[in-house]
Amino acid sequence: MDGFDSTYRGETFRRFDFTDAVFDDTYLTNARFKNVALKGARITGSQVVDVDITGEVERLTVNGVDVTDYVEAELNRRDPERTKMHPRTAPALREAWPIIERRWAETVERARRLEAVDPGLLHERVDDEWSFIETLRHLVFATDAWVRRALLGDPDPWSPLDLPHDDMPDVAGVPRDRTVRPSLAEVLALREDRMATVRDLIDGATEQWLDGHTEPVSEPGYPEGKPFPVRDIFSIIVNEEWHHHVYANRDLAVLEQRSA
């Protein structure tokens, strides 16, 4: 590109640390940012046109106006059940979890209809995000890691179909097969088992138990062997379930259009 010292068009930067870096007189046209932390970022004197942001947004200021509360209020207006997805008490958990189960059941039926048209669509990625099958595999992994390992103390809770998040480094003993293509039925069997485990734990949850911490798992694995607040573990699971459900439906809509 004329006038530039270096050109990195089309390059992928993965697991780079740009903390406190300065991007000046730099083109980021059509750039894609995935799993990035932009805490404290400042964008000034720039063109921000046709930008789409999806993620956890806290204190976002645009031209001097904090739009965070507006965005949150609009999202809650569109979907009032979203306000239930920050449960910190046992009753709140028992209110949130059936919502998650109901919504996933509806989405699975949507996926089954797509599978009847072409099973391959459930393995297809949209904008390089996880496929529907990969999303379900990741949620199995999340439950295995945080509930079966960290909370229940199983040092080796994994299914061969578990799929860790992409930015997690390889951990000995934790499966990560990106090439396998299981059927929807295979993955749903795992999902139903893991969701039943969470349901049973929530049904029996007390505030005293939620106030406690887990016993560290001494064997290596993920997450690391240290005590975690029990309450935080359920927050992690609810957050994973809710957001991946949103992403799954977003991408299913694109696949439905393609199949039509």
Side-chain angles (χ1 to χ4, degrees):
M1 185 184 301
D2 292 341
F4 285 83
D5 297 330
S6 299
T7 298
Y8 297 98
R9 284 191 170 193
E11 294 286 344
T12 297
F13 300 94
R14 180 170 288 113
R15 300 191 65 79
F16 276 72
D17 186 351
F18 289 110
T19 300
D20 295 328
V22 176
F23 299 90
D24 186 18
D25 198 15
T26 299
Y27 280 14
L28 294 171
T29 304
N30 294 327
R32 297 291 184 269
F33 299 88
K34 182 180 179 182
N35 297 325
V36 298
L38 291 171
K39 295 179 181 179
R42 296 291 183 269
I43 302 173
T44 60
S46 303
Q47 296 180 353
V48 184
V49 181
D50 195 23
V51 174
D52 186 359
I53 300 174
T54 301
E56 292 189 34
V57 179
E58 297 181 14
R59 213 169 71 79
L60 175 63
T61 302
V62 179
N63 289 334
V65 179
D66 188 337
V67 301
T68 315
D69 289 345
Y70 166 76
V71 173
E72 285 295 301
E74 177 60 16
L75 290 172
N76 292 339
R77 184 192 68 80
R78 295 180 182 184
D79 189 348
E81 287 185 328
R82 183 177 181 271
T83 62
K84 310 290 186 182
M85 293 302 119
H86 304 283
R88 298 296 292 176
T89 66
L93 277 169
R94 284 190 274 272
E95 187 176 9
W97 192 252
I99 295 172
I100 288 172
E101 291 212 41
R102 169 174 53 80
R103 290 197 164 206
W104 268 113
E106 294 167 352
T107 299
V108 165
E109 288 307 309
R110 186 178 184 182
R112 288 189 200 278
R113 291 193 293 271
L114 204 57
E115 182 186 38
V117 176
D118 180 358
L121 290 171
L122 299 186
H123 293 281
E124 190 170 322
R125 289 188 166 195
V126 176
D127 291 335
D128 203 33
E129 299 289 343
W130 275 333
S131 69
F132 188 77
I133 296 291
E134 288 173 321
T135 296
L136 297 184
R137 290 176 59 198
H138 174 67
L139 291 173
V140 172
F141 163 78
T143 307
D144 284 349
W146 290 104
V147 176
R148 286 157 52 101
R149 175 179 161 88
L151 181 61
L152 299 180
D154 184 349
D156 187 28
W158 318 112
S159 160
L161 294 180
D162 279 3
L163 185 64
H165 40 289
D166 285 343
D167 58 337
M168 177 182 133
D170 289 336
V171 177
V174 180
R176 179 188 239 124
D177 190 343
R178 294 189 176 95
T179 63
V180 67
R181 289 171 64 90
S183 68
L184 179 61
E186 288 178 274
V187 181
L188 286 179
L190 292 172
R191 278 283 285 157
E192 289 165 4
D193 175 74
R194 301 321 194 258
M195 295 185 87
T197 298
V198 177
R199 184 192 317 126
D200 290 344
L201 291 170
I202 288 175
D203 285 346
T206 64
E207 296 305 322
Q208 183 178 8
W209 182 55
L210 292 174
D211 284 337
H213 287 70
T214 64
E215 290 292 330
V217 177
S218 58
E219 291 85 349
Y222 180 88
E224 61 185 304
K226 69 177 186 179
F228 295 96
V230 174
R231 205 178 298 272
D232 287 356
I233 284 179
F234 285 105
S235 293
I236 290 170
I237 291 300
V238 169
N239 185 70
E240 286 278 318
E241 293 281 353
W242 178 263
H243 283 98
H244 282 292
H245 177 262
V246 172
Y247 304 150
N249 277 284
R250 174 200 63 195
D251 294 346
L252 283 176
V254 175
L255 295 173
E256 288 166 345
Q257 291 180 340
R258 289 181 184 175
S259 67

